[in-house]
Amino acid sequence: MSVRASIIGGGPAGLMAAEVLAQAGAQVTVFDAKPSMGRKFLMAGKSGLNLTTDAPLEELLPRFYEAADRLKPMIADFDAKAIQAWAKRLQQPVFTGSSGRVFPEAMKASPLLRAWLARLDALGVRRVTRARWQGWDDAGALVFDPPQEAQFMQPDVTILALGGASWARLGSDGAWANMLKDRDVPMTPFGASNVGVSVDWSTHMQRHFGAPIKAVKWTVNGIQSRGEAVMSAHGLEGGGLYPLARHIDASTSLFVDLLPDMDAAQIAERLSKKRGKASLSNHLRKALRLSSVKIAMLQEWSRPVPQNAVALAALIKNLPVAHAGLRPMDQAISTHGGVAWNALDDGLMLKSMPGVFCAGEMVDWDAPTGGYLLTGCFATGRWAGQAAARRLGLL
């Protein structure tokens, strides 16, 4: 007799769990509330799908912060090398950039997703879209809107891969959290991760919107991140700031070093040279090669700008960023929080609900951009799928 597995959520974690279970011989159905699978996956790949970072385990793990120890066996089982090999088996060749980031040669998510879904189809995985999960009924059966066929409502195992609480329009709205709370599953509150900060710019900054801010270093509470950002109408966003988002709120002091490759003494020495009739902006541009956007930031946040070379150099090295906290959670690339680790056993099964597993961003772990988020989703989806298959006696 065949065994049935229902997977709720058609993102990378859910699809990876489906692949593992189908290969083991389970009859698998994947449900998703949206009209198609992998919508957030496709959005992540619009500017180049960063699958992972080609680094050894000891370099990958610290990027998962406090959850590194819990995720270690999962990522060791499906690390950067394994992800690349998996993509190649889908006939999707990859390449590694100078930063170590790994991308499909197609530089888009859609060819890989099509190939992946075709593989799942060949394995007999059934896909059901426009089916919003509503929890369980009194008999323990899965409930969907609209209702689904009864034979799929009481599977032998269920894997929840519903994402975090950002980008609700793509399916990750975090609404599932209340369903699990109602069943006394321990939860950690959601928080925005990999998200920009809000800035109320003065009108003269409008001409710089969209401009990249390169070669800078950001600091909050002594924690530093070097990397660029982009100035937008709503504030600042980009890979340089994202790793600090988990430490920022409206009351947090944020600083930017506009010239991280020079010390204050070198800057002051250059600024001490006679500037003649040149304006301060021209002097900064010629003496320090500051870009126009960096000069604008300096003027925006330090009026009146110090004329003393030493004081100005100190400000350039540690410019306070006048911000209003993080952008809204729904604008975040990802979230931390969700199902608490103490709710799960070593196979990612809910301790209070035998046969129900969790994977992907709905579990309380966090990671920066750079392929780490997808690495975590792939690894936890595969891990939960394997644990579910063992429970079914298939592995």
Side-chain angles (χ1 to χ4, degrees):
M1 187 177 80
S2 63
V3 290
R4 296 191 298 268
S6 289
I7 296 172
I8 305 174
L15 295 180
M16 187 60 75
E19 182 175 342
V20 170
L21 278 160
Q23 287 174 334
Q27 181 182 344
V28 181
T29 303
V30 182
F31 298 91
D32 198 278
K34 294 298 180 180
S36 58
M37 303 278 172
R39 292 202 160 196
K40 191 172 180 180
F41 185 67
L42 290 173
M43 179 63 75
K46 283 191 71 173
S47 57
L49 181 67
N50 188 184
L51 282 172
T52 187
T53 290
D54 193 2
L57 184 64
E58 60 269 19
E59 292 181 21
L60 286 176
L61 284 177
R63 309 296 285 186
F64 293 90
Y65 310 122
E66 295 89 349
D69 287 343
R70 294 299 302 261
L71 290 170
K72 182 176 180 179
M74 306 174 204
I75 295 174
D77 186 60
F78 202 63
D79 61 7
K81 296 295 185 188
I83 291 171
Q84 293 175 73
W86 167 81
K88 291 173 184 175
R89 289 195 297 274
L90 287 172
Q91 306 301 312
Q92 299 297 308
V94 298
F95 71 94
T96 302
S98 58
S99 65
R101 296 184 178 192
V102 177
F103 301 87
E105 287 185 2
M107 284 300 289
K108 291 187 292 187
S110 50
L112 188 149
L113 182 60
R114 283 196 299 270
W116 196 2
L117 293 176
R119 172 186 284 178
L120 295 178
D121 290 344
L123 288 169
V125 173
R126 179 174 178 263
R127 287 184 274 140
V128 181
T129 56
R130 293 186 173 91
R132 180 170 291 278
W133 181 57
Q134 303 292 303
W136 296 269
D137 66 16
D138 292 341
L142 298 169
V143 178
F144 290 90
D145 181 20
Q148 303 297 313
E149 297 174 49
Q151 62 174 316
F152 301 107
M153 298 307 96
Q154 290 187 306
D156 298 291
V157 294
T158 299
I159 295 182
L160 305 178
L162 289 149
S166 64
W167 291 13
R169 64 190 177 87
L170 302 178
S172 301
D173 58 12
W176 52 265
N178 288 330
M179 302 178 202
L180 295 187
K181 283 180 184 177
D182 289 344
R183 291 189 167 248
D184 298 321
V185 174
M187 301 289 295
T188 303
F190 288 118
S193 184
N194 296 303
V195 65
V197 297
S198 295
V199 178
D200 185 15
W201 302 110
S202 59
T203 55
H204 81 276
M205 297 296 287
Q206 292 177 1
R207 65 189 181 93
H208 297 287
F209 292 167
I213 306 162
K214 299 183 177 181
V216 290
K217 183 169 64 178
W218 311 88
T219 302
V220 57
N221 295 333
I223 304 166
Q224 299 180 337
S225 175
R226 181 160 177 166
E228 68 179 69
V230 174
M231 185 178 294
S232 74
H234 302 292
L236 297 164
E237 53 190 274
L241 273 170
Y242 292 159
L244 301 179
R246 58 206 301 269
H247 305 288
I248 295 174
D249 59 34
S251 63
T252 307
S253 296
L254 173 65
F255 300 89
V256 59
D257 181 348
L258 299 176
L259 291 172
D261 294 322
M262 296 176 63
D263 61 33
Q266 292 173 309
I267 295 171
E269 181 182 0
R270 294 193 182 190
L271 290 173
S272 297
K273 296 177 181 178
K274 292 182 180 180
R275 77 190 212 199
K277 295 182 180 180
S279 66
L280 178 59
S281 293
N282 281 335
H283 185 51
L284 289 167
R285 180 175 56 81
K286 291 180 179 179
L288 301 173
R289 295 185 179 179
L290 277 186
S291 65
S292 60
V293 68
K294 288 184 179 181
I295 293 171
M297 292 164 64
L298 185 64
Q299 294 172 331
E300 177 79 352
W301 292 325
S302 65
R303 292 195 184 103
V305 179
Q307 299 298 306
N308 176 273
V310 174
L312 183 52
L315 194 62
I316 289 170
K317 292 294 294 178
N318 201 41
L319 179 64
V321 176
H323 69 92
L326 299 177
R327 298 296 301 153
M329 189 183 301
D330 193 51
Q331 295 179 17
I333 292 174
S334 60
T335 54
H336 55 84
V339 178
W341 284 104
N342 63 4
L344 302 164
D345 70 7
D346 290 340
L348 296 179
M349 185 175 73
L350 288 170
K351 295 176 183 177
S352 62
M353 300 183 69
V356 179
F357 299 77
C358 298
E361 285 189 57
M362 66 182 296
V363 180
D364 182 21
W365 58 271
D366 191 13
T369 55
Y372 304 103
L373 288 166
L374 275 178
T375 297
C377 288
F378 290 142
T380 56
R382 179 179 172 83
W383 191 261
Q386 290 174 329
R390 285 193 296 271
R391 182 175 177 83
L392 296 171
L394 299 175
L395 288 181

